[in-house]
Amino acid sequence: MKNLKGKIILFAILGLLIACFALFSFVSVMQVISVLAIPLIIVIIPLYGHFKGVKVYEVFTDGAKEGFQVALRIIPFLVAIFLAISAFRSSGAMDLLSWILSPITSRIGMPGEVIPMALMRPLSGSGALGIMSELIKTHGADSYIGRLVSIMMGSTETTFYILAVYFGSINVKQTRHALPAALTADLAGIIASVLICQIIFG
Amino acid sequence: MINVIWLAMILIGVGVAAIRCLGITVTPLGIYLAPTFEPLSQLTNGIFEYAKFAVELAIGLVGIMALWLGIMKIAEKSGLIKVIARGLRPVMVRLFPDIPPEHPAMGSTIMALSATMLGLGNASTPLGLKAFQDMQTLNKHKNIATNAQCTFMALSTSSVTIIPATIIGIRSAAGSSNPTEIIAPVIVATVVSTTVALIMTKILQRLPRFQVENYIEENEEEESHEES
């Protein structure tokens, strides 16, 4: 019985979503969802808890207590990763690497200007965002380079940061195949961005 | 793996800075040297700046982290996570065969991955940390990553993004005539990278090189130390 109720709710939500997509444009629906998501979460979860007889305030503070410990635990891992990143960046090794790579990347339609961003992306989100903003300012948001860096930025992640934070929080030091798998995915994301950008805007 | 990459990045960085200190200029008339300490002192400043930034970043995370862990605790205690997890079970069981379907780790993994997909940057990191902690309770060797953790890590770094909010913001600030035109390409590109991430984790976790047994001996000492 309970299961049936859950299924009905799930289908109702899905139906509502599909109706919204049919009525309005995909983009505007997505933007509305992104604005509503957080307010909805902080209403629905405590409300549901209240009806299920959970002492919401006490349970919340109980969970929040762990926040500080988690943040403290990741500091050594962040410092270690940032040491390697800053040495690589501020020495000019990053610029050297993009100079070496530019003859290869131009073959698949990736302009040399974009390489520093692609290299920076897994290392530092703010660094990559900085390069991206700078490229958009010089070349224009609607230029090929402007569109390409936007797509690349959206389809890749700060892998090294996530690796340090996630594994650091649980004290796992042997990360096995996590890094090679994630970096390959990043590379695939970058190549896919270039190809898609060429097909749509090229 | 990470040990080698970490060391290599430092060595290459310092090496490049040291070579740049020689100030070599090649001209048709010959090679000139203009020694300077500038690149190395730049490197030193950069390292210290980033070390400070690491702590600022972690401290900045405390508040949001506490907020989401609190909300998640309510969701967990009320059984809401179990309800959501049950709905997504068919997909998740295939992606994470090592996590028992009724385990709390399944619920928090689902929450974290959906936050990433919606582009809720502030929410996805704390939720991801929660998922990792729940997965850790299933880990027999606390120092070594499990298959589920590696899969989760690869999925969250490549995850399908539906709303790249920051990028749209920068584009419209830069005067783009259509700032949201990149949404569809981003979805396609992230579907590609997520597929690659999944295939890669499934292949790599079978390789003899990445088997858990390879890491056990060298870590046994550390493990017992940490538990005490």
Side-chain angles (χ1 to χ4, degrees):
Chain A
M1 204 51 203
K2 229 183 191 178
N3 221 333
L4 190 72
K5 220 192 223 168
K7 263 183 194 156
I8 291 170
I9 294 171
L10 200 75
F11 278 118
I13 294 172
L14 273 178
L16 207 69
L17 263 179
I18 292 165
C20 286
F21 281 130
L23 284 172
F24 308 104
S25 78
F26 179 74
V27 168
S28 60
V29 173
M30 281 303 168
Q31 277 162 344
V32 170
I33 291 176
S34 67
V35 172
L36 290 183
I38 305 277
L40 277 180
I41 290 171
I42 60 163
V43 168
I44 290 173
I45 293 178
L47 205 63
Y48 184 89
H50 180 71
F51 284 123
K52 286 275 165 180
V54 175
K55 290 179 182 157
V56 280
Y57 177 78
E58 281 160 41
V59 171
F60 180 93
T61 48
D62 198 34
K65 239 181 265 166
E66 293 158 32
F68 199 71
Q69 291 151 14
V70 173
L72 280 187
R73 222 176 301 148
I74 63 176
I75 289 178
F77 297 88
L78 274 185
V79 173
I81 289 288
F82 280 2
L83 170 62
I85 292 172
S86 61
F88 201 72
R89 236 184 109 178
S90 44
S91 65
M94 176 85 80
D95 301 326
L96 188 72
L97 189 59
S98 50
W99 179 74
I100 295 171
L101 288 176
S102 62
I104 306 164
T105 55
S106 59
R107 289 253 173 103
I108 58 162
M110 189 165 147
E113 291 94 323
V114 180
I115 299 172
M117 202 205 101
L119 292 175
M120 180 68 80
R121 188 63 178 119
L123 302 177
S124 150
S126 53
L129 206 66
I131 300 175
M132 177 199 146
S133 317
E134 198 266 328
L135 282 173
I136 285 185
K137 210 162 45 187
T138 19
H139 297 273
D142 295 331
S143 64
Y144 179 72
I145 288 182
R147 282 163 170 158
L148 179 59
V149 288
S150 309
I151 298 169
M152 263 169 46
M153 189 74 193
S155 49
T156 45
E157 254 297 344
T158 47
T159 302
F160 280 91
Y161 165 76
I162 294 183
L163 185 92
V165 168
Y166 282 8
F167 283 112
S169 73
I170 50 169
N171 268 316
V172 163
K173 288 180 193 77
Q174 300 297 334
T175 57
R176 291 175 64 217
H177 55 284
L179 187 60
L183 284 180
T184 322
D186 274 339
L187 185 66
I190 288 170
I191 295 172
S193 304
V194 174
L195 295 180
I196 292 159
C197 193
Q198 266 185 337
I199 292 167
I200 298 180
F201 305 114
Chain B
M1 188 74 183
I2 183 126
N3 290 314
V4 178
I5 292 177
W6 190 74
L7 189 63
M9 282 175 73
I10 295 176
L11 292 181
I12 292 169
V14 175
V16 169
I19 292 167
R20 282 180 61 212
C21 280
L22 296 174
I24 303 171
T25 1
V26 184
T27 65
L29 297 171
I31 297 166
Y32 293 98
L33 289 181
T36 164
F37 285 117
E38 189 62 25
L40 275 177
S41 60
Q42 257 174 22
L43 177 94
T44 312
N45 290 340
I47 290 169
F48 287 147
E49 223 170 89
Y50 264 76
K52 233 175 82 188
F53 179 56
V55 178
E56 282 165 18
L57 204 73
I59 297 298
L61 202 64
V62 173
I64 311 165
M65 199 62 220
L67 173 71
W68 284 109
L69 287 175
I71 291 281
M72 282 295 286
K73 196 85 171 182
I74 299 177
E76 195 187 306
K77 276 266 164 80
S78 63
L80 183 62
I81 288 179
K82 266 189 190 154
V83 174
I84 299 170
R86 217 171 279 147
L88 290 169
R89 191 191 288 170
V91 187
M92 298 303 281
V93 166
R94 279 205 196 137
L95 289 181
F96 299 97
D98 302 337
I99 306 177
E102 291 292 338
H103 196 269
M106 196 53 110
S108 48
T109 304
I110 291 171
M111 296 292 279
L113 288 179
S114 7
T116 318
M117 277 178 75
L118 286 174
L120 308 175
N122 284 341
S124 58
T125 309
L127 291 177
L129 290 172
K130 175 83 172 64
F132 248 58
Q133 268 163 7
D134 290 341
M135 287 183 205
Q136 187 71 349
T137 60
L138 295 165
N139 195 350
K140 287 193 194 84
H141 308 282
K142 297 294 177 201
N143 259 332
I144 307 163
T146 61
N147 283 346
Q149 284 165 343
C150 292
T151 308
F152 179 81
M153 162 80 200
L155 274 184
S156 41
T157 61
S158 66
S159 177
V160 175
T161 312
I162 303 172
I163 311 153
T166 324
I167 299 155
I168 294 170
I170 290 178
R171 287 175 61 76
S172 65
S176 168
S177 60
N178 186 4
T180 51
E181 68 185 357
I182 52 122
I183 288 183
V186 165
I187 294 176
V188 178
T190 49
V191 167
V192 172
S193 63
T194 304
T195 314
V196 171
L198 272 179
I199 296 170
M200 279 306 282
T201 47
K202 296 294 167 200
I203 294 174
L204 288 176
Q205 77 188 23
R206 289 207 180 88
L207 290 185
R209 213 196 109 98
F210 292 115
Q211 292 311 304
V212 175
E213 293 77 46
N214 293 346
Y215 300 95
I216 292 175
E217 280 162 322
E218 41 184 312
N219 283 296
E220 246 163 4
E221 216 175 309
E222 235 174 315
E223 215 172 319
S224 57
H225 173 74
E226 247 161 59
E227 271 164 18
S228 64

